[in-house]
Amino acid sequence: MSFDYKIADISLHEAGRHQIRLAEHEMPGLMALREEYAEEQPLKGARIAGSLHMTVQTAVLIETLVALGAEVRWASCNIFSTQDEAAAAVVVGPHGTPENPQGVPVFAWKNETLEEYWWTAAQIFAWPGVDEDPAKGANMILDDGGDATLLVHKGVEFEAAGAVPSAAAEDPEEYRVILETLRKSLSENPKRWTGIASQLRGVTEETTTGVNRLYQLARDGGLLFPAINVNDSVTKSKFDNKYGIRHSLPDGIMRATDVLIGGKVAVICGYGDVGKGAAEALRGQGARVIVTEIDPINALQAAMDGYQVATLDDVVNQGDIFITTTGGKDIISAEHMQQMKNKAIVGNVGHFDNEIDMAGLAAIEGIQKIEIKPQVHEWVFPNTDGKSIIVLSEGRLLNLGNATGHPSFVMSSSFANQVIAQIELFAKSHKSYDGDDAYATEVYVLPKVLDEKVARLHLEALGAKLTELTKEQADYLGVDVAGPYKPAHYRY
Amino acid sequence: MSFDYKIADISLHEAGRHQIRLAEHEMPGLMALREEYAEEQPLKGARIAGSLHMTVQTAVLIETLVALGAEVRWASCNIFSTQDEAAAAVVVGPHGTPENPQGVPVFAWKNETLEEYWWTAAQIFAWPGVDEDPAKGANMILDDGGDATLLVHKGVEFEAAGAVPSAAAEDPEEYRVILETLRKSLSENPKRWTGIASQLRGVTEETTTGVNRLYQLARDGGLLFPAINVNDSVTKSKFDNKYGIRHSLPDGIMRATDVLIGGKVAVICGYGDVGKGAAEALRGQGARVIVTEIDPINALQAAMDGYQVATLDDVVNQGDIFITTTGGKDIISAEHMQQMKNKAIVGNVGHFDNEIDMAGLAAIEGIQKIEIKPQVHEWVFPNTDGKSIIVLSEGRLLNLGNATGHPSFVMSSSFANQVIAQIELFAKSHKSYDGDDAYATEVYVLPKVLDEKVARLHLEALGAKLTELTKEQADYLGVDVAGPYKPAHYRY
Amino acid sequence: MSFDYKIADISLHEAGRHQIRLAEHEMPGLMALREEYAEEQPLKGARIAGSLHMTVQTAVLIETLVALGAEVRWASCNIFSTQDEAAAAVVVGPHGTPENPQGVPVFAWKNETLEEYWWTAAQIFAWPGVDEDPAKGANMILDDGGDATLLVHKGVEFEAAGAVPSAAAEDPEEYRVILETLRKSLSENPKRWTGIASQLRGVTEETTTGVNRLYQLARDGGLLFPAINVNDSVTKSKFDNKYGIRHSLPDGIMRATDVLIGGKVAVICGYGDVGKGAAEALRGQGARVIVTEIDPINALQAAMDGYQVATLDDVVNQGDIFITTTGGKDIISAEHMQQMKNKAIVGNVGHFDNEIDMAGLAAIEGIQKIEIKPQVHEWVFPNTDGKSIIVLSEGRLLNLGNATGHPSFVMSSSFANQVIAQIELFAKSHKSYDGDDAYATEVYVLPKVLDEKVARLHLEALGAKLTELTKEQADYLGVDVAGPYKPAHYRY
Amino acid sequence: MSFDYKIADISLHEAGRHQIRLAEHEMPGLMALREEYAEEQPLKGARIAGSLHMTVQTAVLIETLVALGAEVRWASCNIFSTQDEAAAAVVVGPHGTPENPQGVPVFAWKNETLEEYWWTAAQIFAWPGVDEDPAKGANMILDDGGDATLLVHKGVEFEAAGAVPSAAAEDPEEYRVILETLRKSLSENPKRWTGIASQLRGVTEETTTGVNRLYQLARDGGLLFPAINVNDSVTKSKFDNKYGIRHSLPDGIMRATDVLIGGKVAVICGYGDVGKGAAEALRGQGARVIVTEIDPINALQAAMDGYQVATLDDVVNQGDIFITTTGGKDIISAEHMQQMKNKAIVGNVGHFDNEIDMAGLAAIEGIQKIEIKPQVHEWVFPNTDGKSIIVLSEGRLLNLGNATGHPSFVMSSSFANQVIAQIELFAKSHKSYDGDDAYATEVYVLPKVLDEKVARLHLEALGAKLTELTKEQADYLGVDVAGPYKPAHYRY
């Protein structure tokens, strides 16, 4: 093989290529960027280390970065999420063959171990020759969840300390693996990460978790390079969360259970953007939706949108379907689950699997767990004459586990933000640019006018036609004809 | 094995049993009937020949008939629709084992040939000893589509004629197979079907097609026994069509394509009950729905519900998704498909596959058909630089082909009508009963009060609580406290 | 004045004319009929006695009848419902002046006494010279509620008996007035009504109440002439009830109370067509809607549409707004009202004012009734520290009392049915026509194809474009290209 | 009379008192504040000069301020918006009589002249003895639109200059009146406004316009005291704009025209919060809604919500109803109106009346304007055979002109923000308080936790029950159990 990569099975590339072709049609934002920047090649010279679910949609993202001039190495940011055929197709490339791959090095396959996962994370920085000359390594990170960024920061930290510490007793298993990965690295090259970090112009990050880590690093003075928070672009957060979930929640429930949603009582825990999309989707299927909330403003929104707002305790025995959307923890407890109706369906589209107390459920003495099919389990309570509930995806994100996650069109919006942020930061990071508008080693959100640009790129595909302000109208409103049109605090 | 049956693989029975158990919870109508009639055993003595898709839901129907006292033999009414694990579980029965099956003889497996199909249809009448003594054979038919009924009527007709005619040149292939099946039967026993028909008290039929055949037979004087039209119960037609499709249409589109429905333009051809459910589902997902209609009343309903009403010709180049729901033919022509946007999605949830002119599409010279995955095909038009459309399920019912058909709850409603109709007819067919209220050899709809009963059986499961009329209020309205509550022509 | 009529104030005619002109635009069905029949003049020779709320919309109906060749005399069918300016404009006519009215004799004004009301009912039959020669009198009745028809039938009955009986003690006040009216008539001309009836070719009737009376007369053998039931046309019943109420219920609540509907809990009693429209309207304003029902089929529809279905007893203390839509009686009792939340709003859009037990409410000892404004009353319960409820329109139809009833577009649909039925019956009543398709002295519904015609007449105004069947498609469906398209029992 | 005030007619007070009593029930936020602070009396010592539409809802606000200890003087902020009966009731007070008024001095009546308007604005600062001792004057302003604040700032400016300048030729008429008002003041007391300003602890302002003026003053260094921007509280902006309009737009259209909204094509110009509420309302009534937008993000939201997004030019001949919601100008031009369908309805719920080019419409040669009723005009185009459009409220806010503006519940939310801001600022303005958390002379938004408090105050009235975080859950989320729960940039 002509370059270093590892995927499950490269022979899958043709199936992946068909899917990529169809996905391109649903990702008008990325395709418009390819067209707009075909000549200019704004990412020429960029060497991007990418860590993001290696799906069909990500394949379109990767090939867009390449089309804009970048060199790319890629890993997934989740041990389960790789679609092998997509990975294969990206490796082979649109014009290559399995024997002569001409695509991008991808280090990802479905069902990695933790050790494999952190090995792949390290591989996206292992550009040929980088150990000898850091300038041959990555100069940009595109991150989802912050693992790639974490690896660099921890690597630099431990290299400065001269040693990797031992894991403490209370450290999670995964942290142990990270330490081991870096310990091995340190033994191979004690200045590797310091060198890599020196060349990095910045990172673009698209998750709440990753962004929180970045803000914390910045606050603590530990941030090593500029960062753009893509997560809080309107075209990322509102769209991804609300419209993505509106699609993928019913999709997941239907695929998992084939249960008629119409006429059922659905309890949605949380009425943030995810909860709003979830509630709208299930109401659109004829369910009666009850919302639980802790935030009085969101609760008032739910009431004004016509939903009953109640506490879970009060309605736990009425619901047929329970969905967490909060980002919090212990939203649905084991006691709650015991009080539910027979065959109630429980799932999570919020964040981590601790929104539902799966550990508490499993700990009930005598409880029986039956796998109906993969990612769909019936939990039969003891001493109840067979009363049971159905838990989807073991409490993890059901829209990923029971369906296929966000549709391409939604990802086009998120990924167009990523690409634009990469262009911005590659050009104007203070590490390589000294203009007044250089990005310092801080965390930025994308300028609103670029957020608007992402929206603009998607309108035509929907047949939506935008009205243009006249100069006179723009002056009256005190805005530029080309935008941005709203003050920073505008809530959409 | 202890009795005669044929299914694909009996070892699947455990998987089927789990699914049946879950489906029972979603079929409260059938379960309530089991409870109500546990003691009375109204189907004791009934020998039911059943012909209906052999799915998990049908398994619950079959076991309900058995629980009410019936003996049953079963075949599927479609060569593709059998779920083998459901068939296996029914054969084994809840208390049997593969070595000692104690269930019901089932003649059905996924992907039958036409010859096999009509063989299975004959098997449901081949009760042990029936050739010697017709009184040992079936005395009831439960039909879906009318094939079992057709076989009996044709058998009787040809036995009377003394011979089975040859197929005409223009006869469809399937008719040839039917003739061949009966020709063989005639050679084995020239009075078989005449004997069987003499014992049949009646048939209950649940499809439009089957019902139309029955009305035609009755009109032409050829009907051999009483029939109950279950198709036109409100709890069958309105629920099955509207609420079933509302669920299974988006399910099918999502599973097939993973395309975001939100923001898309969906063209729904037809605004009958199926179209109403389809439009509501896609609007509920954020699509902009355009309706085409030929009936001005339905068109006015669509307009009043806020949909644009247009001709397909006028909007064929605006739609992203096209769905036929009409029961008619040639709704979407090959020319229409050539005018659609690139990657438009085309599917049918109406009736037969001729709603979309698949033959015309395939006949376009130079057209290329790519299988994206089973039941999802991309058709690339020649000389268009790769412009293509996506056709679901080859133009057949996409909610069956790309999803799993109607959910259990919907089928519970249809099947409760079937069970109640079986009870009615078994007890009161003029063939075995001479009360004034005997069913003659005609086609009946279920009395409204039984239709209401089916609805009643499903309310509790939804947590819906019915108000009871006082005697005084009922008198004021001129109805009985127990119903029926509406005049026959009431439209709901 | 050139002819005999009585209205409140003819000087209002200009205001009425403006409103008629605007209403014409919203009544495309009637205007299309004017155009279609301008030349043919199918009502030439018709002398129509009309009894129907004398509103602006009715003015358009009357002038349509005239445009089709009819002579007309008019009264209102309700003592409160006349819009005086509309009456004035009809009398003056589009081309007349108050000094030289050239319109139609109208006997109607706002707030008639019962005596006046029945005097006006008699006037529409008092055509010049009719006492001498019945052939100079009315030959058609257009009725709403059946009062005009009742008067003729009672007149004939008493003339046959030779005397008008005395009212019984339990007879309602209104019946006394009717008897008095006829007693006076008998003394003037003992054969008046017998003569009138002999000339009448038939009646078209548009209310449930009036239609029920007609069916009863037909059943009892007392019907004197053919009748067409316009009430059960789809374009009347579904549209009038569902879409009319969807508009006029929130209109009435808003005008009466200015209370924000969003976020409120609304209890809708009944889920027939009126209830469906009511529920949709309030949900569309962001209310949470709870439905009560006695009919399990309608209840199941409500559940499937996502509404909570409960008994009033269970939710009476949760609702902010209570609306009856049933046609029954004692739906909301005085006890219910005492259990409601402070300032709950109670109203009726069903049928008679006995849906809400106003008498029981008024009979509570110590209750205080405060008129907030006309048709809006606060009822303060004794010994409750000021707890009160708001009752709209004294329990009568709030969409009439607090708003302006059905919008013109809805009435266009009802009235187009009336006009078409008048044309049908005037031409084909057996009283003047002996074709095989003559209407006998029975009650008919309009042929479905005419129902479809009414729908057709309204589509263009909404920009809706109908698809036409090809001959081949129509044959496949077994229908005529021109309709009707559905079997009689189709439910829409 | 015991104090100085001027209103139209004090005898109206009883009608106003009834309406205030009903409105109190719909303003749970204000009533909860009365209860919470009954003892503490946080506004004891506050002397509030209030300038805000003198409606029934404002009466509840004023009496809440009084209940919290404040002294108040009031004027309306609009020459048309006073409800005289509300003003009368406030003057008389709940326990006073017309002969012995015990309420609050109010300077407001319906239909003021500009001269009268600015006289009333001055009166709210004319506290007895203030000219002699500014400390006897107002120490707080509660403003809507900024006129009261403007008067103080201009007064101080001109007093510093020693003279009031002459109006320039291009100055609007109103500015002339302001100058004249101040010129008179200067002649009476050349230090009046300087004295008043010295005592003012701050202003709370609730409109976009007023807030913009404040930010501009702050930016230019001219702001004289601290200000709280109440307009951008979530519970003000989102609720007022979206849910208020959702109610009052259909209310206005229905009252004005009685036209059936169902089935119509409605074009909504703008998809900000007002546009979102407008679109939802009309869709909820069965209209087909088309949206026009200039902002690609809002346009994408509209598309994702299932609306067609088009330019007005492209759909101007399809719409039946056109509503502007933009805050911009010249959204609907005279040319647009000429291209509309006959009898199209045109109205504005955005901001100023220049959203619709009324001047351009009136300037069309030969155009005829017919008053159908107050605030509803038909404009008949010349040479068109009577083609006309209907313009509501002369292009001004139709929800005020044709309906009654925002319902009480919506105002309760806005006004609770006002009261809380008054408490905050009165206690912690740097003018009278030197804590670290003192408000400096800048413009602030309310702390999020107070915004949440306003929401909290309204939940109970809706029957909504809030979930409480455990300490552990709150820690996990990094928030306080008592809130605030979201970061500042959260968009809701």
Side-chain angles (χ1 to χ4, degrees), chain A residues 470 472-473 476, chain D residues 312 324 326-334 336 352-360:
Chain A
T470 62
E472 208 185 344
Q473 288 176 318
Y476 179 80
Chain D
L312 186 52
T324 56
T326 68
K329 71 168 189 174
D330 293 336
I331 309 305
I332 297 180
S333 68
H336 284 139
F352 290 122
D353 61 355
N354 57 356
E355 301 212 12
I356 300 167
D357 182 12
M358 293 306 297

Side-chain angles (χ1 to χ4, degrees), chain C residues 302-323:
Chain C
M304 283 296 156
D305 290 345
Y307 300 109
Q308 181 178 356
V309 178
T311 62
L312 186 53
D313 289 338
D314 284 354
V315 298
V316 70
N317 60 355
Q318 295 172 34
D320 299 294
I321 300 171
F322 294 84
I323 303 296

Side-chain angles (χ1 to χ4, degrees), chain A residues 84-409:
Chain A
D84 288 335
E85 66 275 26
V90 169
V91 167
V92 172
H95 306 299
T97 64
E99 296 71 34
N100 182 24
Q102 302 188 2
V104 160
V106 173
F107 306 87
W109 56 97
K110 195 170 183 65
N111 299 328
E112 301 162 354
T113 65
L114 281 179
E115 284 74 16
E116 289 171 332
Y117 175 77
W118 285 99
W119 174 83
T120 68
Q123 289 309 305
I124 59 174
F125 293 103
W127 296 67
V130 66
D131 264 356
E132 293 73 40
D133 177 3
K136 291 183 171 168
N139 48 27
M140 293 294 295
I141 300 178
L142 188 157
D143 214 352
D144 176 306
D147 282 351
T149 303
L150 174 81
L151 198 65
V152 174
H153 279 78
K154 284 290 169 192
V156 169
E157 178 187 338
F158 298 153
E159 287 176 2
V164 175
S166 299
E170 71 276 16
D171 281 340
E173 170 60 15
E174 183 159 10
Y175 192 56
R176 246 171 253 277
V177 178
I178 298 173
L179 293 178
E180 190 50 47
T181 304
L182 287 172
R183 198 170 289 120
K184 183 146 166 278
S185 171
L186 214 66
S187 75
E188 290 167 4
N189 177 347
K191 288 292 162 202
R192 174 179 288 158
W193 297 104
T194 309
I196 289 170
S198 72
Q199 298 300 315
L200 286 167
R201 299 191 189 179
V203 60
T204 61
E205 164 64 50
E206 73 172 72
T207 68
T208 307
T209 310
V211 161
N212 284 347
R213 285 189 193 172
L214 287 170
Y215 280 114
Q216 201 165 332
L217 277 172
R219 204 163 44 234
D220 301 348
L223 188 63
L224 297 173
F225 35 75
I228 291 185
N229 161 5
V230 168
N231 183 60
D232 288 311
S233 294
V234 186
T235 48
K236 202 286 179 176
S237 65
K238 277 264 175 189
F239 286 78
D240 194 289
N241 292 336
K242 184 168 172 194
Y243 303 119
I245 288 295
R246 183 177 67 182
H247 181 104
S248 58
L249 172 61
D251 191 14
I253 295 174
M254 286 167 167
R255 291 196 210 213
T257 69
D258 286 317
V259 160
L260 182 72
I261 295 173
K264 295 291 193 302
V265 175
V267 180
I268 306 291
C269 301
Y271 201 66
D273 284 325
V274 172
K276 287 180 174 78
E280 185 183 345
L282 299 189
R283 172 183 277 185
Q285 274 294 310
R288 174 157 71 90
V289 173
I290 301 174
V291 168
T292 77
E293 247 301 340
I294 57 137
D295 185 318
I297 298 178
N298 293 265
L300 195 49
Q301 288 187 304
M304 283 296 155
D305 289 346
Y307 300 111
Q308 182 179 355
V309 179
T311 63
L312 186 52
D313 289 338
D314 283 354
V315 297
V316 69
N317 60 354
Q318 295 173 34
D320 299 294
I321 301 172
F322 294 84
I323 303 295
T324 55
T325 74
T326 69
K329 73 168 186 172
D330 292 336
I331 307 306
I332 297 182
S333 69
E335 291 76 47
H336 284 139
M337 289 186 271
Q338 286 179 288
Q339 296 168 52
M340 289 176 183
K341 289 166 67 174
N342 189 17
K343 306 286 178 289
I345 295 167
V346 179
N348 169 35
V349 290
H351 197 201
F352 290 122
D353 60 356
N354 57 357
E355 301 212 13
I356 300 168
D357 182 11
M358 293 307 298
L361 182 68
I364 293 173
E365 194 164 322
I367 199 162
Q368 189 192 352
K369 177 182 177 185
I370 301 170
E371 175 157 310
I372 303 301
K373 56 183 172 183
Q375 312 282 6
V376 182
H377 295 89
E378 184 182 10
W379 292 78
V380 186
F381 294 105
N383 311 319
T384 57
D385 198 22
K387 184 181 144 177
S388 62
I389 61 168
I390 312 295
V391 180
L392 306 185
S393 291
E394 311 258 10
R396 287 190 294 270
L397 295 177
L398 78 91
N399 55 325
L400 289 172
N402 300 96
T404 60
H406 287 323
S408 300
F409 196 89

Side-chain angles (χ1 to χ4, degrees), chain C residues 386-407:
Chain C
K387 183 180 146 178
S388 62
I389 60 168
I390 313 295
V391 179
L392 306 185
S393 291
E394 311 259 9
R396 286 189 297 271
L397 296 177
L398 79 91
N399 55 325
L400 289 172
N402 299 97
T404 60
H406 287 323

Side-chain angles (χ1 to χ4, degrees), chain A residues 232 238 243 246 293 295 298 304-305 309 314 329-330 354 465 467 472-473 476 486 491-492, chain D residues 232 238 243 246 293 295 298 304 309 314 329-330 354 465 467 472-473 476 486 491-492:
Chain A
D232 288 311
K238 277 264 175 189
Y243 303 119
R246 183 177 67 182
E293 247 301 340
D295 185 318
N298 293 265
M304 283 296 155
D305 289 346
V309 179
D314 283 354
K329 73 168 186 172
D330 292 336
N354 57 357
K465 222 168 138 187
T467 302
E472 208 185 344
Q473 288 176 318
Y476 179 80
K486 300 289 193 302
R491 296 190 184 93
Y492 296 91
Chain D
D232 288 310
K238 277 264 175 187
Y243 303 119
R246 183 178 65 182
E293 247 301 341
D295 185 317
N298 292 267
M304 283 296 155
V309 179
D314 283 355
K329 71 168 189 174
D330 293 336
N354 57 356
K465 223 171 136 186
T467 303
E472 208 186 344
Q473 288 176 319
Y476 178 80
K486 300 289 193 302
R491 295 190 185 93
Y492 297 90

Side-chain angles (χ1 to χ4, degrees), chain D residues 194-244:
Chain D
T194 308
I196 288 170
S198 72
Q199 299 299 315
L200 286 167
R201 299 192 189 178
V203 60
T204 60
E205 163 65 48
E206 73 172 74
T207 66
T208 307
T209 309
V211 161
N212 285 347
R213 284 189 194 171
L214 288 169
Y215 281 114
Q216 200 164 334
L217 277 172
R219 205 165 42 236
D220 301 349
L223 189 63
L224 296 173
F225 35 75
I228 291 186
N229 161 7
V230 168
N231 182 61
D232 288 310
S233 293
V234 187
T235 48
K236 201 285 178 174
S237 65
K238 277 264 175 187
F239 285 78
D240 193 289
N241 291 336
K242 185 168 170 192
Y243 303 119

Side-chain angles (χ1 to χ4, degrees), chain C residues 260-425:
Chain C
L260 183 71
I261 295 174
K264 295 292 193 302
V265 175
V267 181
I268 306 291
C269 300
Y271 200 65
D273 284 325
V274 172
K276 287 179 173 79
E280 185 183 344
L282 299 189
R283 173 183 276 185
Q285 274 294 311
R288 174 157 72 90
V289 173
I290 300 175
V291 168
T292 77
E293 246 301 340
I294 57 137
D295 184 318
I297 298 178
N298 293 266
L300 195 50
Q301 289 186 304
M304 283 296 156
D305 290 345
Y307 300 109
Q308 181 178 356
V309 178
T311 62
L312 186 53
D313 289 338
D314 284 354
V315 298
V316 70
N317 60 355
Q318 295 172 34
D320 299 294
I321 300 171
F322 294 84
I323 303 296
T324 56
T325 75
T326 69
K329 71 168 188 173
D330 292 336
I331 308 306
I332 298 181
S333 69
E335 290 76 49
H336 284 140
M337 290 187 270
Q338 284 179 288
Q339 297 168 52
M340 290 177 182
K341 289 165 67 175
N342 189 16
K343 306 286 177 289
I345 296 167
V346 179
N348 169 35
V349 290
H351 196 200
F352 289 123
D353 61 355
N354 57 355
E355 301 213 12
I356 300 168
D357 182 11
M358 293 306 298
L361 182 68
I364 293 172
E365 194 164 322
I367 199 161
Q368 189 192 353
K369 178 182 175 185
I370 302 170
E371 176 158 307
I372 303 301
K373 57 184 170 180
Q375 312 283 6
V376 183
H377 295 89
E378 184 183 10
W379 292 79
V380 186
F381 295 106
N383 310 319
T384 58
D385 199 22
K387 183 180 146 178
S388 62
I389 60 168
I390 313 295
V391 179
L392 306 185
S393 291
E394 311 259 9
R396 286 189 297 271
L397 296 177
L398 79 91
N399 55 325
L400 289 172
N402 299 97
T404 60
H406 287 323
S408 300
F409 197 90
V410 168
M411 297 319 295
S412 177
S413 194
S414 303
F415 287 172
N417 276 288
Q418 281 278 21
V419 173
I420 288 173
Q422 288 279 326
I423 294 173
E424 248 330 79
L425 206 48

